[in-house]
Amino acid sequence: MRFYLAVAMVCLGACAQTPNLALINSKEFGKNPDLSEPEVSLLPTAKIARAVGFRAGEAPRPAAGWTVNRFAEGLAHPRWLLELPNGDLLVAETDTPQNSGGFDGIKGLVAKVIMRYGGSNRGSADRIRLLRDVDGDGVAERSVKLLEDLHSPFGMAYRDGYLYVANTDALLRFPYQLGEDNVSGPTEHLTDLPALPYNHHWTKSLLFGSTGRHLWVGVGSNSNIAENGMENEEMRAAILQYDIESGELSVYASGLRNPVGMALHPETGGLWTVVNERDELGDQLVPDYLTEVIEDEFYGWPVWYMGGNKDERVLAMGIDNDTRVREPDYALGAHTASLGLDFYDYPHPSVQHAAIIGQRGSWNRSQFAGYKVIAVQFDAGRPKDALPITLLDGFLSEKGQARGRPVGVQVLGDGAIVVADDVAGIVWRLAPAVPTK
């Protein structure tokens, strides 16, 4: 056991010496990505940037015409964000729950070492924190622990005097009055959420539909390619729908390996998500993607990827599916860990109505990819077939170390964008140099 752990650490240490190469490879992005041939090997490529954090006075690099500052810092692994109607910001301080993973034996051990090296799997604070910018200067002067003793919380939603929180295993509801610094009412357990062992993709994201009757819940797969058996994938790799009135939980759309960020497009009202695709098929497979989510549609996982491409590894396990597959709308680069999603609903010459996406960064490729906040431009409610705009980068040092890793993104009511950086423990505020009108 010590031998394998030592081998993993030597490999990771060597990887950390690579220069900053957070790529945007043109063939891996857009509406018609040029897919490479699969490359299957006995051991997956494992290269992750060592988590070191930002030093005092340092910040990631904003795009021209934008500024960035520390909205809040000193946080415990901030991953997800929600702006409340009164302008307060909620942040989920959370991490992998205990006994969660997806791999047994040596592979599982190495996976855990990789996660810790990259800044995760170090224990979860299990809380929701409230941040308040009292004087409007772009910095949160007030920071309070709003909810504690949760279980790897992630998704949050607010409507009609209730705060909804998705633990890794349950959907909860709390009565909450805007502007208060505490939640005094009782906890309501609305429904269990899929969390069977291994609970591989543990995050559960939340979003209200436009009518307020339904909550969508993003639930990732319990494996990479169903190697633990399809019986462990029930109600997973899907966006679920919870009916507030009846309490019914059902599958809204399926075949989405790990749908995390969800948002409604400001022009069309359509539901969109970003999906983390499968690993261990080579540097350039399979691209993560941004797609509109249509009720009852099937997006391919585990058999299919990027439309009509079959994963031969899944077929070799005796799993097949000939259901019609809906092709994703826009490829986001392989292994970029595209997680955060919101739409920019303010006048801006380059990003109005664009999808703002937090890419936490790769581990399963030989050159770093992701580690950015990007904007995918839209026209008439659909993604443009063009490369994304990089809004915020510089999360990788020249030595290939992770000073930060952007996860959740939220467009605020004043036109700024906040970014949860779970390595640095910072919420960054990215704003146009000329305020939106």
Side-chain angles (χ1 to χ4, degrees), residues 3 22 26 117 153 181 222-223 259 311 347 355 375:
F3 168 76
S26 60
Y117 191 84
D181 287 350
N222 210 9
S223 60
D311 191 330

Side-chain angles (χ1 to χ4, degrees), residues 102-104 198 200 222-223 225-233:
F103 305 111
D104 287 322
Y198 305 86
H200 177 49
N222 210 9
S223 60
I225 51 169
E227 64 273 13
N228 299 322
M230 288 301 293
E231 66 273 13
N232 287 306
E233 302 295 346

Side-chain angles (χ1 to χ4, degrees), residues 65-376:
W66 294 78
T67 64
V68 68
N69 67 274
R70 300 184 183 209
F71 182 79
E73 54 189 319
L75 305 175
H77 212 252
R79 298 208 72 171
W80 215 241
L81 302 165
L82 175 70
E83 186 185 31
L84 294 173
N86 68 337
D88 286 347
L89 185 70
L90 301 185
V91 54
E93 295 179 283
T94 189
D95 204 345
T96 311
Q98 290 186 343
N99 303 318
S100 178
F103 305 111
D104 287 322
I106 299 304
K107 193 172 184 179
L109 175 62
V110 172
K112 289 178 181 178
V113 171
I114 288 172
M115 289 172 66
R116 289 183 62 84
Y117 191 84
S120 294
N121 201 27
R122 298 182 177 183
S124 178
D126 286 346
R127 66 174 168 249
I128 306 297
R129 183 178 292 274
L130 182 146
L131 303 174
R132 182 175 297 141
D133 179 1
V134 178
D135 58 8
D137 64 349
V139 176
E141 290 82 19
R142 185 151 183 76
S143 174
V144 298
K145 299 173 184 177
L146 187 67
L147 287 170
E148 297 190 89
D149 300 321
L150 299 170
H151 186 201
S152 294
F154 193 77
M156 298 165 287
Y158 182 83
R159 197 175 185 98
D160 298 332
Y162 286 99
L163 175 61
Y164 296 78
V165 176
N167 275 345
T168 190
D169 56 359
L171 176 61
L172 308 178
R173 181 167 71 176
F174 305 85
Y176 175 68
Q177 294 301 313
L178 296 174
E180 295 293 326
D181 287 350
N182 57 74
V183 173
S184 56
T187 303
E188 289 183 75
H189 179 284
L190 298 182
T191 186
D192 290 338
L193 296 176
L196 288 173
Y198 305 86
N199 200 19
H200 177 49
H201 290 118
W202 59 271
T203 62
K204 308 296 192 293
S205 49
L206 290 181
L207 181 70
F208 263 111
S210 57
T211 66
R213 175 168 176 173
H214 298 113
L215 258 178
W216 287 305
V217 187
V219 182
S221 63
N222 210 9
S223 60
N224 181 32
I225 51 169
E227 64 273 13
N228 299 322
M230 288 301 293
E231 66 273 13
N232 287 306
E233 302 295 346
E234 185 178 359
M235 301 280 282
R236 301 198 68 139
I239 290 177
L240 308 182
Q241 181 172 267
Y242 177 76
D243 190 306
I244 299 293
E245 295 181 11
S246 70
E248 180 184 2
L249 185 68
S250 59
V251 174
Y252 183 79
S254 61
L256 300 149
R257 179 178 175 268
N258 188 21
V260 186
M262 297 183 290
L264 300 178
H265 192 272
E267 290 181 295
T268 68
L271 172 63
W272 289 74
T273 189
V274 284
V275 176
N276 285 195
E277 254 291 356
R278 66 203 71 199
D279 296 318
E280 302 177 38
L281 282 180
D283 266 17
Q284 295 174 341
L285 283 183
V286 173
D288 293 346
Y289 59 83
L290 167 72
T291 196
E292 187 173 18
V293 182
I294 306 299
E295 187 172 7
D296 296 328
E297 289 281 19
F298 173 65
Y299 289 79
W301 187 91
V303 175
W304 304 87
Y305 62 87
M306 295 306 293
N309 301 280
K310 278 194 171 183
D311 191 330
E312 296 297 328
R313 302 170 301 171
V314 180
L315 300 179
M317 294 188 293
I319 301 172
D320 202 351
N321 190 319
D322 289 326
T323 305
R324 184 180 66 85
V325 176
R326 184 176 180 89
E327 189 167 351
D329 287 282
Y330 187 96
L332 293 169
H335 314 298
T336 53
S338 297
L339 298 170
L341 174 65
D342 202 0
F343 284 100
Y344 198 82
D345 191 22
Y346 294 91
H348 191 282
S350 61
V351 299
Q352 185 174 15
H353 300 153
I356 311 300
I357 298 167
Q359 297 189 309
R360 191 170 185 265
S362 60
W363 71 268
N364 180 218
R365 64 182 296 164
S366 61
Q367 290 181 300
F368 294 125
Y371 299 94
K372 299 174 183 289
V373 176
I374 62 172
V376 174

